[in-house]
Amino acid sequence: MSIAGAMRLSPEDPLRTFSEDEKLPPLPLPSLRHTLERYVDSVRPFVSDAEFANTQEIVKKFEKGEGKLLQEKLEAKAKIEKNWVDKWWLEKAYLENRWALVPFCSMSGVSDLSRVWTFKPGYMLKYASLYLYYTVEMWTLLRSERLAPNRSADGKTFFSMTQWRRLFNCCRIPLPGRDRLDTHFKTEKEGTCPSHVMVACNGHIFLVDAVDETTGSILNPLEWESQLQRIVDEASKTPGQGIARLTCDDRDTWAKNNAHLRQISGENAHYLHLIESAMFLLTLEPDFEPNTPSEVIMRSLTGDYNNLWVDKSLHIAFFGNGQSGGLAEHTAFDGMISVTNSFYTYQCIIENKGVWTGPKTIRELSPPRELNFILNSSMKEELQQATLRQNITRQKVIVIREKFTGFGKSLLVKKRIHPDTFVQMALQLTYYRLHKKFAPCYETATTRAFYNGRTETLRVCTKELAKWAQAMLSSTPIEEKVRLLQIAVKRHDDLMKEAREANGCDRHLFGLYCVAEENKMPIPELFRDASYAKSGGGGNFILSTSLVGYTPVGGGVVPMCLDGYGIFYNMDSDSIYLTISVMRDSAETSASKYFNHLCESFYTIRDLIEFARGEKPKANL
């Protein structure tokens, strides 16, 4: 069976995409003692002895006093809710965030299809049409619940599939203070579901129905190409209204303008509903021809905002030479959902050698429908002002996409080190070499083994890792460097296991904070202590990192902090792909410099491991 075929369930299989969700166990609530111990341990590498002693006293008081009361209230909540953090996390981590989604919040990504496609002018529509066919096929798999449920690496544990319900037909709705997430997706058993796709080109917005009304079958690639050609021909005549650029403002500004659009005309409100309920967004840029994955990601994230309706949960972008990238709205789901979806399309294209081998018929289809909003003078002025504002914000980030080809997953597995742990050791060593200090580091750990689970934070920079990194930059004997590496690796693996079991400290601390806030209690001193922010709390992680799978499909988001890095990586058997982002205004960071030093760290750690295994003589180190 092919890889893509293994992702599909047969109609006879009693298992269904969402059939296991309600059977998943509730999200555990850690003990207060466990969380505080983990938190105190995580603080140590970033503070002085005096600061650490002060933090220890604050934590002791918290545990005996207000922390005990907050924990009791949280335990009561956990008894009646299968996921005690779900609603808070959705609202406070995402919907209440007022930043512009691009470039600061959206996930960007790219698929390398150079194995089967040659990228040159004139190939955009041909490639986009095949890509759309398999993307819509995924939509049909979800509608019929024939996408195999995701599982743990050993295949024994089902993962929550709730986030998949928000991949298609989903949109973030701007509102003052706190947005709303609307999903229009339904399975076939649940009812009808909108089947149109939103296509943006040169500032124009079109709708294309992805399902033939007469037969109920999805459009084939030749039919998609015909429809997209109509759109490009029409859009090339004159620039469109560029309404989409309003979505790229900060959330409160967009909320104000969204409300104004609706007030101007009921027709505008109807158009907004059609956009919000669309399956996904496709953007076409025939005049832009990126040559590298870095250019693709940067264009997707900071390119032509006249086409970017960033509230849509899924956005696919195709460029003039056939290169492709895209965005995903992080509120709706986490990175592995969009990566798995993209990998399905990628694998289908690879397995079919990049060409369509199905029916060559093109049915009589209704032409794409353009949406032309009714605008008054103030809204036209707002569009002009939005352009000026966004010319500033789009310059705020730098993102590169690079490929390390020295080795990949296969060698690391042979060396008996977890590939993710290997990369995390290298990330910390690289940062310490470059900046001569340690970085609080956020690594994503999935909690999807639990009901409606999303993520927990693994605080990577432990005191064990810090001790090893210090030794690496000293004259410490090689044998001691190996010993310290082994200790740091074991500590990381143990903490990852805990985090996946929902026994990290960050979501629990977040829950305790939310309880205090909801009950109008004073914010505890623990959260006001300088050590909390220095160790990454409150969105202050210098390194924001995540493994996004073992396929060529990947992407990332921008840093949490001005002087931080966003580092997201995926692997195949012989390569490690890295998406590294920095803030342009930072005087401390450099994405390209970090990547170059990271490659050195990969070789350094590999050599240490080979020495420990007796595979490399000491003289060669």
Side-chain angles (χ1 to χ4, degrees):
M1 181 183 293
S2 69
I3 294 174
M7 297 173 71
R8 298 187 288 261
L9 297 169
S10 71
E12 294 76 27
D13 195 325
L15 185 65
R16 283 291 175 261
T17 303
F18 304 109
S19 62
E20 305 305 302
D21 283 355
E22 292 301 317
K23 303 174 188 176
L24 294 178
L27 185 74
L29 178 65
S31 70
L32 185 61
R33 171 64 59 87
H34 174 86
T35 289
L36 295 179
E37 286 177 351
R38 290 291 176 268
Y39 168 66
V40 170
D41 281 348
S42 76
V43 166
R44 179 66 277 203
F46 311 106
V47 297
S48 67
D49 291 345
E51 289 173 319
F52 186 64
N54 182 57
T55 295
Q56 286 179 307
E57 286 301 312
I58 290 172
V59 169
K60 285 179 184 178
K61 292 177 183 177
F62 179 80
E63 182 179 9
K64 294 176 181 178
E66 55 198 340
K68 184 177 179 181
L69 175 60
L70 295 173
Q71 177 73 359
E72 288 173 354
K73 291 182 179 296
L74 201 50
E75 288 172 350
K77 181 181 178 69
K79 285 180 180 179
I80 60 175
E81 296 181 13
K82 289 188 70 175
N83 189 315
W84 52 268
V85 77
D86 185 29
K87 185 172 181 289
W88 282 333
W89 189 248
L90 183 68
E91 292 178 349
K92 297 185 180 300
Y94 296 107
L95 296 177
E96 292 180 10
N97 188 337
R98 300 291 86 194
W99 292 351
L101 297 185
V102 288
F104 304 115
C105 305
S106 296
M107 299 181 286
S108 57
V110 63
S111 298
D112 181 10
L113 284 160
S114 59
R115 284 175 55 188
V116 293
W117 283 350
T118 300
F119 301 113
K120 54 187 179 180
Y123 277 57
M124 178 181 73
L125 299 187
K126 182 180 180 65
Y127 292 168
S129 298
L130 190 60
Y131 199 99
L132 289 185
Y133 174 80
Y134 290 117
T135 301
V136 175
E137 186 174 81
M138 173 61 81
W139 176 80
T140 67
L141 290 176
L142 290 172
R143 286 268 291 148
S144 60
E145 296 192 69
R146 288 183 51 230
L147 174 68
N150 302 150
R151 305 189 195 211
S152 57
D154 60 12
K156 296 179 180 179
T157 304
F158 284 107
F159 280 177
S160 170
M161 296 294 285
T162 301
Q163 295 177 56
W164 281 92
R165 290 180 173 274
R166 303 194 287 254
L167 177 64
F168 296 107
N169 306 101
C170 184
C171 194
R172 180 165 166 168
I173 309 300
L175 295 169
R178 179 197 293 165
D179 292 350
R180 186 180 75 236
L181 190 66
D182 281 2
T183 180
H184 302 265
F185 175 82
K186 290 183 180 180
T187 65
E188 291 174 351
K189 289 182 178 179
E190 293 166 344
T192 58
C193 177
S195 59
H196 59 279
V197 170
M198 175 185 178
V199 182
C201 181
N202 196 26
H204 296 264
I205 297 173
F206 297 86
L207 301 181
V208 179
D209 205 312
V211 178
D212 178 43
E213 295 179 1
T214 305
T215 64
S217 60
I218 64 176
L219 271 59
N220 67 44
L222 300 182
E223 291 168 334
W224 268 115
E225 187 170 0
S226 173
Q227 295 288 58
L228 297 183
Q229 186 65 63
R230 288 172 165 178
I231 288 173
V232 171
D233 290 345
E234 184 64 28
S236 65
K237 294 176 181 177
T238 183
Q241 294 175 311
I243 294 293
R245 87 182 76 136
L246 296 175
T247 73
C248 302
D249 266 329
D250 70 85
R251 301 309 293 173
D252 283 334
T253 299
W254 169 219
K256 178 195 70 175
N257 287 326
N258 183 283
H260 190 185
L261 274 174
R262 296 174 189 273
Q263 291 167 0
I264 292 172
S265 166
E267 191 171 8
N268 286 351
H270 177 60
Y271 289 166
L272 289 170
H273 173 75
L274 291 173
I275 289 170
E276 292 158 5
S277 61
M279 199 183 293
F280 56 86
L281 164 66
L282 167 71
T283 61
L284 299 172
E285 291 197 52
D287 296 328
F288 182 75
E289 298 179 352
N291 294 311
T292 67
S294 296
E295 291 178 9
V296 169
I297 284 191
M298 278 296 287
R299 185 67 178 186
S300 298
L301 197 61
T302 66
D304 188 354
Y305 285 4
N306 289 306
N307 293 331
L308 289 188
W309 202 281
V310 294
D311 296 344
K312 292 299 297 176
S313 58
L314 179 62
H315 162 219
I316 298 166
F318 266 84
F319 305 104
N321 57 358
Q323 291 270 19
S324 64
L327 299 176
E329 210 291 279
H330 208 337
T331 309
F333 46 78
D334 298 313
M336 284 309 300
I337 305 302
S338 55
V339 165
T340 305
N341 172 62
S342 297
F343 179 64
Y344 176 80
T345 300
Y346 168 91
Q347 196 60 39
C348 287
I349 292 172
I350 294 294
E351 290 172 7
N352 289 282
K353 297 181 173 53
V355 297
W356 173 244
T357 58
K360 301 293 195 264
T361 56
I362 299 178
R363 292 165 287 191
E364 285 292 331
L365 301 169
S366 299
R369 176 188 175 191
E370 184 171 4
L371 304 184
N372 283 304
F373 285 78
I374 298 173
L375 306 177
N376 58 19
S377 58
S378 64
M379 188 55 67
K380 291 176 181 178
E381 172 64 22
E382 193 61 26
L383 280 165
Q384 294 178 355
Q385 292 302 314
T387 300
L388 297 177
R389 292 190 292 267
Q390 292 154 16
N391 284 341
I392 297 173
T393 57
R394 61 157 43 96
Q395 299 298 322
K396 292 291 186 181
V397 302
I398 299 171
V399 187
I400 64 171
R401 172 82 172 168
E402 299 289 351
K403 182 179 180 180
F404 170 78
T405 58
F407 50 85
K409 179 184 177 183
S410 294
L411 181 137
L412 298 173
V413 171
K414 288 178 182 177
K415 304 301 180 187
R416 302 183 67 81
I417 183 171
H418 195 291
D420 172 66
T421 306
F422 175 88
V423 173
Q424 286 293 336
M425 298 298 110
L427 295 180
Q428 288 292 327
L429 178 59
T430 301
Y431 186 88
Y432 188 61
R433 276 175 166 168
L434 282 173
H435 298 281
K436 303 301 183 288
K437 59 184 177 180
F438 295 110
C441 177
Y442 174 119
E443 182 185 4
T444 304
T446 185
T447 55
R448 288 177 62 206
F450 302 101
Y451 182 81
N452 282 0
R454 289 193 67 158
T455 61
E456 174 59 276
T457 299
L458 168 56
R459 294 188 171 210
V460 175
C461 190
T462 60
K463 56 181 182 286
E464 292 85 359
L465 196 158
K467 189 172 183 180
W468 165 72
Q470 288 174 323
M472 292 299 293
L473 269 66
S474 73
S475 58
T476 300
I478 185 70
E479 293 82 0
E480 179 65 4
K481 291 177 180 178
V482 168
R483 188 185 74 83
L484 292 174
L485 173 62
Q486 291 169 339
I487 293 172
V489 164
K490 184 179 186 305
R491 183 60 171 162
H492 182 275
D493 290 346
D494 289 345
L495 289 176
M496 177 58 82
K497 183 176 184 295
E498 284 189 359
R500 287 174 175 164
E501 294 170 350
N503 264 321
C505 69
D506 279 88
R507 297 299 176 272
H508 190 188
L509 291 173
F510 171 75
L512 296 169
Y513 184 98
C514 290
V515 170
E517 192 174 59
E518 279 196 357
N519 287 273
K520 295 181 170 43
M521 299 167 61
I523 299 303
E525 186 180 6
L526 182 151
F527 299 106
R528 294 182 279 110
D529 177 27
S531 295
Y532 184 68
K534 286 184 177 182
S535 63
N540 288 287
F541 289 100
I542 296 297
L543 296 183
S544 178
T545 73
S546 186
L547 167 67
V548 290
Y550 297 102
T551 76
V553 178
V557 296
V558 303
M560 292 185 183
C561 311
L562 172 63
D563 294 321
Y565 294 88
I567 308 173
F568 298 81
Y569 48 97
N570 51 293
M571 306 182 210
D572 57 23
S573 60
D574 56 7
S575 304
I576 303 174
Y577 304 80
L578 294 125
T579 304
I580 303 176
S581 58
V582 297
M583 306 303 287
R584 193 180 296 272
D585 291 340
S586 174
E588 294 189 16
T589 59
S590 165
S592 58
K593 188 176 181 180
Y594 190 96
F595 172 72
N596 291 333
H597 281 74
L598 181 60
C599 293
E600 293 180 19
S601 296
F602 285 156
Y603 287 121
T604 298
I605 300 173
R606 181 206 59 184
D607 290 348
L608 269 186
I609 294 169
E610 290 184 343
F611 171 78
R613 291 168 57 85
E615 298 170 354
K616 186 180 288 290
K618 189 173 183 178
N620 291 356
L621 295 175

